[in-house]
């Protein structure tokens, strides 16, 4: 569907959400501190959602095909 939905299991409610530029989301990764969610998909973009900001804070462009996997590096 192209939508990212993050739920708070303790309160059983929608915590934040976002949408791909177009097309489906194919992969997702959480940052190690839990503050960010990265998504990739059919729009050839990587989006980094800030949980506190409740919006996309960075778009990663330059991919020539669907983004099918990603991960955060431990720093």
């Amino acid at each position: 569907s192209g939508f990212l939905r993050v739920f708070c299991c303790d309160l059983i409610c929608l915590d934040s959400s976002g949408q791909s530029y177009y097309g489906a989301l194919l992969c997702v990764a959480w940052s190690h501190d839990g503050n960010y969610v990265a998504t990739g998909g059919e729009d050839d973009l990587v989006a980094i959602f800030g949980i506190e900001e409740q919006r996309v804070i960075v778009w990663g462009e330059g991919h020539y095909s669907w983004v099918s996997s990603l991960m955060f590096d431990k720093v």
Side-chain angles (χ1 to χ4, degrees), residues 19-52:
Q19 186 176 7
S20 68
Y21 189 72
Y22 68 84
L25 296 176
L26 302 176
C27 56
V28 63
W30 281 92
S31 66
H32 297 285
D33 61 7
N35 292 326
Y36 305 99
V37 178
T39 63
E42 294 177 352
D43 56 7
D44 305 344
L45 298 169
V46 172
I48 308 292
F49 291 89
I51 297 300
E52 289 185 22

Side-chain angles (χ1 to χ4, degrees), residues 7-15:
F7 290 90
C8 177
C9 293
D10 294 337
L11 302 175
I12 311 172
C13 65
L14 181 64
D15 188 50

Side-chain angles (χ1 to χ4, degrees), residues 4 6 9 11 18 26-27 30 38 41-43 45-46 52 54 56-60 67 69 72 74:
L4 169 71
V6 178
C9 293
L11 302 175
L26 302 176
C27 56
W30 281 92
E42 294 177 352
D43 56 7
L45 298 169
V46 172
E52 289 185 22
Q54 295 190 356
V56 175
I57 57 171
V58 175
W59 289 103
V67 178
S69 67
F72 282 91
K74 291 183 183 180

